[in-house]
């Protein structure tokens, strides 16, 4: 399968480049800058990402360009462009002030393949401290903005381009067109990577890989594990056994509803209600880490006990997706996120790991789910943490507190699913993740009717994000917040105050614990 390689020099937007390329129905891999796959016959082009470094930083990431130049078309973005200029004999200097924000292409070479279809004055997004003041010999400028004369360049007679701006970000209005020009026209992508082709090839591969073996999969109710299950079910039918553990801290009615959805999809699911065990083990525990540990340990215990009953299982399937596996670099060059390990697999069962979604971004998982005919309710579901509402209740956990939070959360999420925004879209679908948090260690005074109350506040959280690594608090409509607040206080006993969390990540996290 044809692929574009994106070499990651540590920019925050590298993943975004990957997603833009995938939107062009083209497969791509994001690799650390120094891990170019020398012998991969499927590579059709290379993109060099931006970086937090200046080319003059002693620790700046460097590659041997000679290994790729001339073999593949290359597009350098920001640092990628500066690195090529600098290494090949041009001059890169600190800009008088950091160039940050929107600019417009005051001139560009209209006949250049990279700018095919571009409009005059097209808006681009800049974010750089250095600027290219002289190009290497044999290079020419192909676009300029008012303040950046070498906004884009090409090596004469060579399929090598550099752009100082970031075509991958939304504010570069024709950025996707530029990437299409590169990926499709220059590199020759056949654009054959689609949800339909993914389903066909993956089902065929899974049939081949798994033969007549039995597979176990842990379902969480979330999108990833559900899509993985349906895909596997297509490939091996009832040789897939799914296990769904209810730890008692799921959303209101979620266990029952999700079990029904799964059964509707023809999955063979063993539902285990282990809430009694979890509540007993969590009694009196209020330290967040301690709570997570207990839940993790109990979960493995319950899951393994069920898994052991399936004595002929050979594989354990997981809904791991691509962002879980991309090795992203931080400024020290250390990998800050690598393959998350599977904690506490039933070792003595000697299961092999099967991860059918390991190449997909989240939006692609959703597209595959739709292709598989899964209900929209399951596909658009917000992410939900493994430990569930336990990390959304400050202090110790009791069934009563879970009940209060479930009721408040249900009012909030239901209203979000019903609210239609001015642009016609459902509010829930615009939000990455939302939920209510019970501040059960806090009490405040209120008045209801003629009665003084002394009860807990509930905090509402809603964030926008693309990968949960960073997140912004969502600007929810005031009329929506007003309605939800009134409904919660009027209908949920034990709550007399509603607050909205306006913290971004970083420095806050999405979950409160
Ligand atoms: P934070 O709170 O770290 O969360 O900003 C980032 C994303 O991860 C989810 N999350 C978890 N998911 N087990 C999970 O499966 C966990 O222990 C866990 N903790 C946080 C969180 O909901 C958000 O989507």
């Amino acid at each position: 399968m044809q692929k574009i390689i994106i070499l990651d020099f540590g920019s925050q937007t590298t993943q975004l480049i990957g997603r833009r390329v995938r939107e062009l129905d083209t497969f791509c891999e994001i690799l650390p800058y120094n891990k170019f796959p020398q012998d991969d016959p499927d590579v059709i082009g290379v993109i060099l990402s931006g970086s937090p470094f200046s080319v003059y930083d002693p620790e700046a990431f460097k590659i041997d360009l000679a290994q790729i130049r001339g073999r593949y078309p290359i597009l350098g973005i920001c640092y990628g462009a500066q690195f090529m200029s600098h290494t090949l004999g041009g001059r890169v200097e600190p800009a008088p002030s950091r160039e940050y924000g929107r600019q417009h292409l005051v001139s560009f070479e209209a006949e250049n393949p990279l700018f095919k279809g571009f409009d005059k004055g097209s808006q681009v997004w800049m974010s750089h401290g250095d600027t290219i003041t002289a190009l290497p010999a044999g290079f020419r400028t192909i676009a300029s903005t008012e303040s950046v004369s070498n906004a884009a360049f090409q090596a004469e007679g060579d399929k090598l381009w550099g752009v100082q701006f970031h075509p991958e970000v939304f504010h570069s209005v024709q950025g996707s067109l530029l990437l299409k020009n590169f990926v499709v026209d220059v590199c020759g992508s056949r654009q054959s990577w689609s949800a339909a082709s993914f389903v066909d090839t993956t089902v065929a591969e899974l049939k081949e890989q798994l033969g007549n073996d039995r597979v176990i999969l842990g379902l969480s109710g979330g999108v990833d594990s559900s899509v993985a299950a349906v895909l596997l079910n297509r490939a091996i039918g009832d040789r897939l056994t799914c296990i769904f553990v209810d730890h008692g801290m799921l959303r209101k009615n979620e266990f029952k509803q999700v079990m029904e959805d799964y059964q509707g999809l023809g999955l063979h699911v063993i539902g285990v209600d282990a809430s009694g065990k979890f509540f007993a083990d969590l009694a009196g525990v209020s330290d967040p880490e301690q709570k997570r540990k207990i839940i993790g340990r109990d979960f493995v215990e319950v899951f393994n006990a069920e898994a052991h009953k399936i004595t002929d299982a050979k594989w354990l399937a997981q809904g791991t997706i691509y962002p879980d596996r991309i090795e992203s670099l931080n400024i020290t060059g250390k990998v800050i996120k690598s393959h998350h390990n599977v904690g506490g697999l039933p070792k003595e069962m000697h299961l092999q790991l099967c991860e059918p979604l390991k190449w997909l971004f989240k939006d692609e998982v959703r597209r595959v789910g739709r292709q598989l005919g899964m209900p929209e309710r399951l596909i658009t579901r917000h992410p939900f943490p493994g430990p569930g509402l336990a990390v959304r209740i400050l202090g110790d956990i009791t069934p009563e507190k879970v009940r209060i939070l479930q009721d408040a959360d249900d009012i909030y999420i239901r209203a979000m699913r019903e609210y239609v925004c001015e642009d016609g879209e459902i509010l829930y679908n615009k939000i990455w993740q939302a939920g209510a948090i019970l501040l059960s260690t806090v009490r405040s005074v209120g008045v209801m009717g003629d009665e003084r109350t002394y009860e807990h506040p509930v905090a509402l959280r809603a964030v926008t994000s693309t990968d949960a690594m960073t997140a912004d608090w969502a600007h929810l409509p005031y009329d929506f917040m007003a309605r939800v607040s009134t409904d919660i206080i009027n209908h949920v006993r034990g709550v007399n105050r509603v607050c909205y969390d306006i913290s971004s990540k970083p420095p806050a996290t999405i979950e409160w614990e």
Side-chain angles (χ1 to χ4, degrees), residues 98-106 121-126 128 144-148 151 165 171:
R98 192 177 161 76
E99 307 271 358
Y100 184 82
R102 294 173 179 81
Q103 294 201 15
H104 297 90
L105 296 183
V106 288
S122 193
Q123 177 180 296
V124 294
W125 182 260
M126 295 281 183
H128 56 106
S144 307
T145 68
E146 205 143 90
S147 57
V148 181
F165 52 89
H171 300 292

Side-chain angles (χ1 to χ4, degrees), residues 53 104 112 120 136 163 212 237 261 266 272 309 427 464 487 496:
F53 285 119
H104 297 90
N112 195 286
K120 275 195 187 125
V163 290
N212 289 321
D261 282 343
V272 192
K309 294 180 191 160
L427 181 59
T464 54
D487 282 355
N496 65 351

Side-chain angles (χ1 to χ4, degrees), residues 130-167:
D130 289 346
T131 196
I132 302 166
T133 48
L135 292 174
F139 281 48
R140 72 172 192 286
T141 302
I142 57 170
S144 307
T145 68
E146 205 143 90
S147 57
V148 181
S149 51
N150 291 310
F153 62 78
Q154 184 182 3
E156 297 287 357
D158 198 350
K159 291 185 175 175
L160 183 151
W161 287 263
V163 290
Q164 183 57 77
F165 52 89
H166 287 270

Side-chain angles (χ1 to χ4, degrees), residues 50 78 100 182 220 296 393:
C78 194
Y100 184 82
F182 178 72
S220 66
I393 295 174

Side-chain angles (χ1 to χ4, degrees), residues 215-444:
V215 179
I216 305 175
L217 180 141
L219 283 172
S220 66
V223 189
D224 303 344
S225 63
S226 306
V227 173
V230 175
L231 204 51
L232 276 154
N233 183 251
R234 277 267 174 105
I236 61 166
D238 60 7
R239 287 195 305 286
L240 171 72
T241 306
C242 304
I243 300 172
F244 183 21
V245 177
D246 181 5
H247 51 32
M249 282 149 287
L250 296 171
R251 291 193 139 118
K252 187 172 180 174
N253 298 329
E254 189 165 37
F255 186 65
K256 184 168 165 288
Q257 190 202 6
V258 171
M259 281 297 283
E260 282 168 10
D261 282 343
Y262 285 149
Q263 271 142 17
L265 287 164
L267 297 177
H268 170 45
V269 187
I270 301 172
V272 192
D273 176 1
S275 49
K277 175 180 174 55
F278 283 85
F279 279 122
D281 292 348
L282 283 168
V285 178
S286 47
D287 177 67
E289 276 313 297
Q290 201 58 22
K291 285 188 206 169
R292 279 173 181 274
K293 280 208 182 99
I294 292 169
I295 294 171
R297 187 199 64 203
D298 282 4
F299 185 89
V300 169
E301 218 176 290
V302 174
F303 183 86
N304 286 3
E306 282 310 313
H308 272 98
K309 294 180 191 160
I310 307 159
T311 48
D312 57 343
K314 295 258 170 46
W315 298 82
L316 184 96
Q318 294 202 138
T320 315
I321 67 170
Y322 195 36
D324 298 332
R325 301 165 52 246
I326 296 176
E327 294 182 16
S328 48
L329 303 162
N330 74 0
I331 196 155
T332 62
K334 293 200 181 97
V335 169
I336 51 175
K337 192 175 178 207
S338 52
H339 195 310
H340 68 174
N341 282 323
V342 198
L345 286 186
K347 284 199 187 66
E348 56 293 349
M349 291 180 73
H350 303 293
L351 298 174
Q352 299 178 73
L353 204 55
C354 171
E355 297 176 315
L357 308 180
K358 66 181 179 184
W359 289 111
L360 302 189
F361 288 103
K362 194 89 181 177
D363 45 346
E364 293 176 310
V365 174
R366 293 197 161 117
R367 256 182 274 154
V368 167
R370 286 193 185 99
Q371 180 71 28
L372 290 164
M374 293 171 62
E376 211 49 28
R377 201 176 43 248
L378 265 183
I379 291 173
T380 55
R381 174 164 284 170
H382 289 168
F384 188 67
L389 300 181
V391 292
R392 295 183 182 170
I393 295 174
L394 305 192
D396 67 332
I397 293 164
T398 63
E400 175 60 7
K401 288 183 188 174
V402 171
R403 202 263 319 146
I404 294 175
L405 182 56
Q406 279 179 334
D407 285 348
D409 180 79
D410 188 54
I411 289 171
Y412 180 37
I413 299 300
R414 234 177 237 273
M416 193 174 263
R417 283 189 182 278
E418 282 166 12
Y419 190 92
V420 183
C421 299
E422 274 175 13
D423 61 3
E425 224 192 300
I426 302 286
L427 181 59
Y428 182 88
N429 294 341
K430 291 185 158 200
I431 302 293
W432 166 268
Q433 189 168 3
I437 298 101
L438 181 65
L439 311 190
S440 76
T441 50
V442 178
R443 281 182 157 210
S444 75

Side-chain angles (χ1 to χ4, degrees), residues 292 383-387 392 432-433 468 505 508-513:
R292 279 173 181 274
F384 188 67
R392 295 183 182 170
W432 166 268
Q433 189 168 3
K505 174 185 179 178
T509 51
I510 295 176
E511 303 298 344
W512 276 46
E513 286 196 341

